[in-house]
Amino acid sequence: FFFSSRRRHTRYIGDWSSDVCSSDLVSLTRDQDGMLWFAESQGGKIGVIDPNTGKIREFAPASPLNEPFFLLFDKDGSLLISEHTALRIVRFNPYLETFSSVVSVNDPNSLPFAIAPDKFGNLWIAQHTTDRLGIYDPQKDEFAELNKIGRAHV
């Protein structure tokens, strides 16, 4: 089902495929055109739903994503994806339909979780098993970690 706040009603748009249903949907975000993007953690894919037609498309690189978990659109319209067990953030270009690596975290126990940009364009990365935040500066291509007591690790 789909609820449209513009139309103020709920309507049926179709069934999920059995592959999507068994892939553990873990994240959902909307792009500037109103398309709904989702991550399939166990399927190693991301997908998009057109809420007007119900059409679903899925995307994966040649090697499936390793637990894609969090989705965030950047200012350029690319989709940033935290790969939970691959210890990195990847970028998906929805226009070219290509994937590229953004940054990898240092500690194999870090498990990147959520991503948030700051006003300077840095990406903050929650690492839920190490009590540290990752900070990626794309301008300098530098990654550092801030631990719970406030000291930075480079």
Side-chain angles (χ1 to χ4, degrees), residues 6-74:
R6 285 188 310 238
R7 296 185 189 119
R8 302 278 185 226
H9 71 279
T10 303
R11 66 184 172 98
Y12 180 75
I13 61 170
D15 294 320
W16 291 87
S17 75
S18 60
D19 288 345
V20 173
C21 285
S22 64
S23 293
D24 285 340
L25 301 175
V26 293
S27 185
L28 188 66
T29 192
R30 184 182 303 263
D31 68 18
Q32 69 272 7
D33 297 323
M35 304 292 260
L36 298 171
W37 290 81
F38 57 90
E40 301 175 50
S41 69
Q42 298 306 306
K45 302 179 270 190
I46 59 169
V48 63
I49 304 167
D50 182 333
N52 295 315
T53 66
K55 182 179 178 185
I56 298 171
R57 294 185 62 210
E58 296 174 296
F59 307 92
S63 294
L65 298 167
N66 291 319
E67 274 192 64
F69 201 85
F70 189 86
L71 304 175
L72 172 74
F73 278 98
D74 67 13

Side-chain angles (χ1 to χ4, degrees), residues 60-103:
S63 294
L65 298 167
N66 291 319
E67 274 192 64
F69 201 85
F70 189 86
L71 304 175
L72 172 74
F73 278 98
D74 67 13
K75 62 180 175 42
D76 299 322
S78 290
L79 185 62
L80 300 174
I81 307 156
S82 68
E83 268 192 284
H84 195 59
T85 56
L87 307 176
R88 66 183 185 158
I89 306 300
V90 296
R91 175 178 285 114
F92 177 71
N93 182 318
Y95 305 106
L96 300 175
E97 298 182 3
T98 56
F99 290 87
S100 59
S101 183
V102 175
V103 64

